[in-house]
Amino acid sequence: MDDRVALITGGASGIGAALGRALAAQGTMVVLADRQAVGATEVAESIRRQGGRARGVALDVRDRDMFREIAEHTQRREGRIDLFFNNAGIGIGGEIADYDRAAWDDVLDVNVRGVAYGIDAVFPIMRAQRSGHIVNTASMAGLIGMGSMGSYTASKHAVVGLSKALRIEGRRHGVRVSALCPGVIRTPILHGGEYGGHVGRRLTRTNMERLVNRLRPMEPDRFAQLVLEDVEKNEPFIIVPRFWKAAWLLDRLAPRLTARLWDRLYSVALAELDAQERSAPKTVDSKETTKATVPGVRVGR
């Protein structure tokens, strides 16, 4: 039996929960941490019913002291931390001109500071062990740019850069580091999730689904299996679904062409939004139109 211990943030749903299930199926002891403490506990219970080892804990990644407490408690109780999936994140969609300070702060606090606090809590434990693997969840939005996702894109570029730097430093202490860059994964965050949000104009759920499906979303459990294969290979960048590697390569080789392609996709989304607004009944509450916006890459877990 696999005797490893994995700590996963954002473990109550989506990618975090899928990684937990996949690791537990291999015999790994899984600790699922999330602001949604009830959800994390329920996922852990479902894993145990399937014969796996798991527990759920409450964690707000914005709280540095709480993060340290969870990491240290995990190390004391389980004896070590072999895998750390620094996965919790949120997204607030919408055009940059529509963001207010709260929208910026919410995304940067979770997606950048939260990741940094996770490293601060777990990296010293792995350094002392002289082993371990940290997987920071970024996004394809951390490798390329997309409209209507300015704050999310900025935060995920930061996670990629941080991961590259930590990989260099960690190698000298026996600690591996990877940046996980998902493409479009079918998780609740595609429609806002528990803590995400939207600013500006709104697409209907039907139109959002149509746009998302054009990008061929992957089911999270299949995604998790492929991710773990690359973790075992110690890949510096883990890009799943695999076809998104072509988009990344194209962006590096022909950035102007890639920008035109993403501009085209964004224009299609805006055209659908314009058509929707023209056909909408005039009695629609204007406040409702600010609750959602154009989706792009998966915006969370």
Side-chain angles (χ1 to χ4, degrees), residues 186-251:
R186 196 177 295 282
T187 73
I189 302 300
L190 280 174
H191 304 289
E194 184 70 19
Y195 299 108
H198 307 274
V199 295
R201 299 189 300 166
R202 173 185 187 268
L203 277 173
T204 64
R205 188 180 182 92
T206 299
N207 286 345
M208 290 175 73
E209 286 283 359
R210 184 183 301 118
L211 289 169
V212 167
N213 288 334
R214 288 172 183 163
L215 297 174
R216 298 169 57 188
M218 177 178 279
E219 296 302 322
D221 288 316
R222 174 56 179 160
F223 168 83
Q225 294 290 342
L226 294 175
V227 168
L228 294 184
E229 290 176 10
D230 281 359
V231 169
E232 292 303 316
K233 298 174 186 176
N234 190 27
E235 294 287 352
F237 299 99
I238 300 174
I239 299 175
V240 179
R242 308 291 193 206
F243 64 81
W244 282 93
K245 289 184 178 181
W248 180 40
L249 179 61
L250 181 62
D251 186 69

Side-chain angles (χ1 to χ4, degrees), residues 14-273:
I15 287 174
L19 287 169
R21 290 189 293 267
L23 285 164
Q26 296 177 359
T28 302
M29 170 62 200
V30 175
V31 179
L32 301 165
D34 203 296
R35 261 198 283 180
Q36 301 178 70
V38 172
T41 299
E42 290 174 347
V43 174
E45 289 175 350
S46 70
I47 288 173
R48 291 196 297 271
R49 286 196 297 269
Q50 297 297 317
R53 297 180 296 153
R55 58 188 177 89
V57 297
L59 172 64
D60 185 337
V61 299
R62 301 170 300 177
D63 188 327
R64 182 182 184 186
D65 292 337
M66 190 179 189
F67 219 142
R68 283 184 170 181
E69 180 181 343
I70 292 297
E72 291 170 0
H73 180 263
T74 300
Q75 192 273 336
R76 288 194 304 269
R77 176 168 172 166
E78 310 300 340
R80 59 192 300 107
I81 301 176
D82 300 291
L83 296 167
F84 173 43
F85 287 87
N86 208 0
N87 173 71
I90 66 170
I92 295 180
E95 295 191 336
I96 293 171
D98 292 324
Y99 288 126
D100 58 13
R101 178 175 177 176
W104 281 108
D105 287 348
D106 284 348
V107 172
L108 297 179
D109 283 347
V110 174
N111 294 3
V112 181
R113 291 187 181 90
V115 170
Y117 292 163
I119 292 167
D120 178 69
V122 176
F123 187 48
I125 294 172
M126 291 185 170
R127 281 184 55 166
Q129 295 172 174
R130 302 291 301 177
S131 67
H133 198 148
I134 296 174
V135 181
N136 297 318
T137 298
S139 169
M140 282 304 299
L143 299 175
I144 57 182
M146 298 177 181
S148 197
M149 300 179 64
S151 62
Y152 186 77
T153 298
S155 70
K156 294 306 183 179
H157 271 71
V159 172
V160 169
L162 176 56
S163 301
K164 291 166 72 173
L166 188 64
R167 184 177 176 92
I168 294 169
E169 296 180 14
R171 187 178 66 83
R172 288 155 175 77
H173 303 283
V175 180
R176 298 177 170 186
V177 179
S178 301
L180 172 56
C181 299
V184 183
I185 312 302
R186 196 177 295 282
T187 73
I189 302 300
L190 280 174
H191 304 289
E194 184 70 19
Y195 299 108
H198 307 274
V199 295
R201 299 189 300 166
R202 173 185 187 268
L203 277 173
T204 64
R205 188 180 182 92
T206 299
N207 286 345
M208 290 175 73
E209 286 283 359
R210 184 183 301 118
L211 289 169
V212 167
N213 288 334
R214 288 172 183 163
L215 297 174
R216 298 169 57 188
M218 177 178 279
E219 296 302 322
D221 288 316
R222 174 56 179 160
F223 168 83
Q225 294 290 342
L226 294 175
V227 168
L228 294 184
E229 290 176 10
D230 281 359
V231 169
E232 292 303 316
K233 298 174 186 176
N234 190 27
E235 294 287 352
F237 299 99
I238 300 174
I239 299 175
V240 179
R242 308 291 193 206
F243 64 81
W244 282 93
K245 289 184 178 181
W248 180 40
L249 179 61
L250 181 62
D251 186 69
R252 296 167 72 190
L253 296 176
R256 289 188 178 184
L257 174 60
T258 307
R260 289 198 296 271
L261 292 174
W262 284 110
D263 181 71
R264 173 57 181 163
L265 179 63
Y266 186 53
S267 296
V268 170
L270 292 179
E272 291 204 7
L273 180 56

